[in-house]
Amino acid sequence: MTVDIESKLKETRVFYPSKEFSSKAHVKSMEEYEELWKRSIENPEEFWSEIASELFWFEEPKEILVWNEPFAEWFKGGITNISYNCLDRHLETARKNKAAIIWEGEPGDQRTFTYQQLHREVCRFANGLKSLGVEKGDRVCLYMPMIPELAIAMLGCARIGAPHSIVFGGFSAEALKDRINDVGAKIVICADQGWRRGKHVPLKANTDEAIKNCPTIEKNIVVKRVGESVDWNDGKDIWWHDLIDGQSGVCEVTPVESNHPLFILYTSGSTGKPKGVQHSTGGYMVGTYHTTKLVFDIKEEDTYWCTADIGWVTGHSYIVYGPLANGATSVMFEGAPNHPHEGRFWELVEKYRINTFYTAPTAIRAFMRWGEQHPKKFDLSSLRLLGTVGEPINPEAWIWYHKNIGRENCPIVDTWWQTETGCIMISPLPGATPTKPGSCTRPLPGVNPEIVNESGEVVPLGSGGRLVIKQPWPAMLQTLYNDDERYKQAYWSQIPHKYYAGDSARTDEDGYFWIMGRLDDVLNVAGHRLGTMEIESAIVAHPKVAEAAVVGMKDDLTGEAVCAFVTLKMGIEPGDEIIKELKAHVDKEIGAIARPKRLIFTEALPKTRSGKIMRRLLKSIANGEVASGDTSTLEDHGVLKNLTDLASGQDQD
Ligand code: WTA
């Protein structure tokens, strides 16, 4: 038995849910959890069919799971619509006049939509899409700020069976173009501009730039958000308000088979272009519905806030689909946590009496840096549950969150999952699971993970290894858009018959999972996945660059930051000028999230004799560690020494 990943972190503190919390929770004790989990793993079809029956189906599924490894068809033959389940289903109940979305804009403007109002807006927009000739199966790309129209557009697309593909508003025109072309979208939806810390983000201008080279785009629907004038293309552009003007507030849903794709969301992989993760309708709906209910212990009277951007999977699953399928009140916020002041989030918690707050470790580390005086200024007593997602949370940050935001009174759910898994996979159940800072604890019902070595053998307790999932689950990705081969290769080829998540992890004596980080060439910058390859390709595309290698370096705030080793073309001098140029270049090619924090110029990169860049060594250098380990395959040892000297001398912070 080889153990090839070492685990160093040991954390011994344990926090128990209060009796009061447990007594009201959906799952009230570890015994109850254990029993539920066991049943769900032994009889997954029975378990998931029970959950599915809590939702609305025009026709019941004929089969719960058809599994042709690695392709799953969940709830096959079932006819449903997620827009119906998120909206229409609630209109027959007292929820019809309950707030579905409470929205606050960055400048402080507010809009609230009851389920009935949201239903009407979604219908008007869906009718608008139909009037443009959008049909079931057509792809629609959304490149929008965090405004209610984004949620309305998603639900509108889903209503008529048009898969949406959301591109985070922080991406560049170039990144948008690639994603639109890969998915072959017919329509793009953007806003004139977006707000970002008082400045304007040129979403319409970026979209114009992108769609010059997107032959499939027929129309660009533009929401007026900021109100400054923008360039206009009469043939292609249409204002959102003009499109919905006069449209009926009733739009029958288009019933779709459970495996009809609901959306495609691009995420970074280790090689080549981003992966178009494709999710189903029925399985995804059941997964997000169930996990929102259990993990966030959603109650009818809760006001729930997930601070993610809908451009990432967290926003898809836990701002829009999961909460609305549960008939919950979901808060949506357009702004930044530190604009116009560092207490903005806490001001919102006080103002809307938020009960459940879900954010990312990188945000928590920023709050820590800004200081506890900010949350102290506000009344946070409404909070009863806290959550985190996106990267491992350091125990100090966990404890800070617990003390300063939770007032030692709120369970914290550290939720592990991925764009590909669609919904939360490993997480405490807040009324049942004792928590340990830094651990995402135990798998949810229906989820069967384990830790294996390179050869797929289960590693001994406490040893690090590769995290895999042994059984299919409803919200799993269906495939990568138009690329079944890459889907098989990326997730089902490393370890036979198991889903390979790409993370390293260990378990402890209580069966708790501790995620240690990524195993592939993917960086996790502020909870955002970035492929090193993509950033390298962007840098190398600059005319002055000969070669580049990108690695992650530790960063107190963002977890990891981008460090690029760059060899310039002959005759080009390194210096401030080129640093600026290359940073701006990455902004343009991918977006500011991928901008290298540090650029190290070198005459040569350490390579193996077969010419492979030895990133492992570069990573040590970037992190100020001694580049140890096996260097026997290194072609030129001089390169390593030069680099180590260089790295210690060039700091650009
Ligand atoms: C990491 C975000 C530790 C992990 C929902 C995973 C985490 C990647 C956690 C997916 C967590 C996410 N603890 N690591 N609680 N949550 N990760 O696709 O490396 O943007 O593979 O999905 O983030 O990132 P993605």
Side-chain angles (χ1 to χ4, degrees), residues 134-183:
V134 179
E135 291 175 0
K136 181 177 165 187
D138 288 342
R139 276 83 60 218
V140 177
C141 182
L142 282 51
Y143 180 63
M144 301 169 74
M146 280 287 286
I147 53 178
E149 284 79 1
L150 174 50
I152 293 169
M154 293 164 82
L155 292 159
C157 288
R159 199 163 187 87
I160 61 171
H164 56 71
S165 179
I166 305 186
V167 177
F168 171 57
F171 277 121
S172 66
E174 192 65 24
L176 175 62
K177 179 200 79 184
D178 291 344
R179 285 160 176 76
I180 291 178
N181 285 337
D182 194 75
V183 87

Side-chain angles (χ1 to χ4, degrees), residues 312-355:
W312 309 111
V313 74
T314 305
H316 282 62
S317 300
Y318 297 108
I319 296 178
V320 180
Y321 291 119
L324 299 185
N326 278 279
T329 296
S330 184
V331 172
M332 185 174 167
F333 177 50
E334 182 188 30
N338 58 349
H339 182 85
H341 58 80
E342 280 86 3
R344 185 80 192 264
F345 274 13
W346 319 126
E347 187 177 54
L348 257 75
V349 168
E350 177 180 294
K351 183 164 166 192
Y352 297 108
R353 310 281 311 147
I354 306 282
N355 306 112

Side-chain angles (χ1 to χ4, degrees), residues 111-350:
R111 291 161 78 189
T112 297
F113 295 79
T114 63
Y115 274 92
Q116 213 153 233
Q117 290 169 325
L118 187 62
H119 173 263
R120 181 179 152 76
E121 291 310 312
V122 168
C123 285
R124 292 174 74 204
F125 178 71
N127 282 326
L129 280 179
K130 282 189 182 169
S131 76
L132 297 178
V134 179
E135 291 175 0
K136 181 177 165 187
D138 288 342
R139 276 83 60 218
V140 177
C141 182
L142 282 51
Y143 180 63
M144 301 169 74
M146 280 287 286
I147 53 178
E149 284 79 1
L150 174 50
I152 293 169
M154 293 164 82
L155 292 159
C157 288
R159 199 163 187 87
I160 61 171
H164 56 71
S165 179
I166 305 186
V167 177
F168 171 57
F171 277 121
S172 66
E174 192 65 24
L176 175 62
K177 179 200 79 184
D178 291 344
R179 285 160 176 76
I180 291 178
N181 285 337
D182 194 75
V183 87
K186 190 166 175 176
I187 303 280
V188 59
I189 310 175
C190 69
D192 52 354
Q193 293 180 322
W195 286 106
R196 199 63 192 160
R197 296 195 174 86
K199 297 207 181 85
H200 298 166
V201 184
L203 295 169
K204 170 72 165 67
N206 286 350
T207 309
D208 289 346
E209 176 70 28
I211 62 176
K212 274 188 207 151
N213 296 305
C214 297
T216 56
I217 292 291
E218 293 173 10
K219 288 281 175 204
N220 176 10
I221 303 171
V222 188
V223 182
K224 189 173 267 184
R225 168 62 185 133
V226 172
E228 283 188 349
S229 74
V230 285
D231 287 347
W232 203 254
N233 176 345
D234 279 332
K236 228 166 221 181
D237 299 341
I238 175 164
W239 285 112
W240 173 290
H241 54 260
D242 289 337
L243 179 70
I244 61 169
D245 186 35
Q247 295 292 352
S248 159
V250 178
C251 172
E252 288 298 320
V253 295
T254 303
V256 296
E257 201 274 334
S258 176
N259 294 285
H260 182 70
L262 173 64
F263 68 85
I264 293 123
L265 178 60
Y266 285 85
T267 189
S268 295
S270 50
T271 50
K273 59 181 181 127
K275 305 189 273 199
V277 172
Q278 180 180 316
H279 279 288
S280 71
T281 300
Y284 174 82
M285 171 174 85
V286 170
T288 50
Y289 163 78
H290 175 64
T291 50
T292 304
K293 184 169 158 187
L294 254 59
V295 175
F296 300 112
D297 195 42
I298 280 285
K299 295 288 181 344
E300 199 61 69
E301 62 276 18
D302 274 350
T303 305
Y304 160 95
W305 181 22
C306 164
T307 71
D309 190 292
I310 293 179
W312 309 111
V313 74
T314 305
H316 282 62
S317 300
Y318 297 108
I319 296 178
V320 180
Y321 291 119
L324 299 185
N326 278 279
T329 296
S330 184
V331 172
M332 185 174 167
F333 177 50
E334 182 188 30
N338 58 349
H339 182 85
H341 58 80
E342 280 86 3
R344 185 80 192 264
F345 274 13
W346 319 126
E347 187 177 54
L348 257 75
V349 168
E350 177 180 294

Side-chain angles (χ1 to χ4, degrees), residues 267 312-314 388-393 414-420 426 440 501-503 515 517-518 524 527-529:
T267 189
W312 309 111
V313 74
T314 305
T388 79
V389 60
E391 56 176 311
I393 179 163
D414 175 353
T415 63
W416 178 85
W417 61 295
Q418 310 177 291
T419 306
E420 293 87 342
I426 310 182
C440 53
D503 281 340
I515 308 292
R518 295 291 302 182
N524 193 330
H528 299 149
R529 273 167 67 175

Side-chain angles (χ1 to χ4, degrees), residues 456-477:
E457 300 157 319
V458 179
V459 300
L461 212 68
S463 316
R466 288 149 184 76
L467 178 62
V468 295
I469 314 285
K470 291 199 283 185
Q471 278 168 240
W473 64 99
M476 66 189 280
L477 73 166

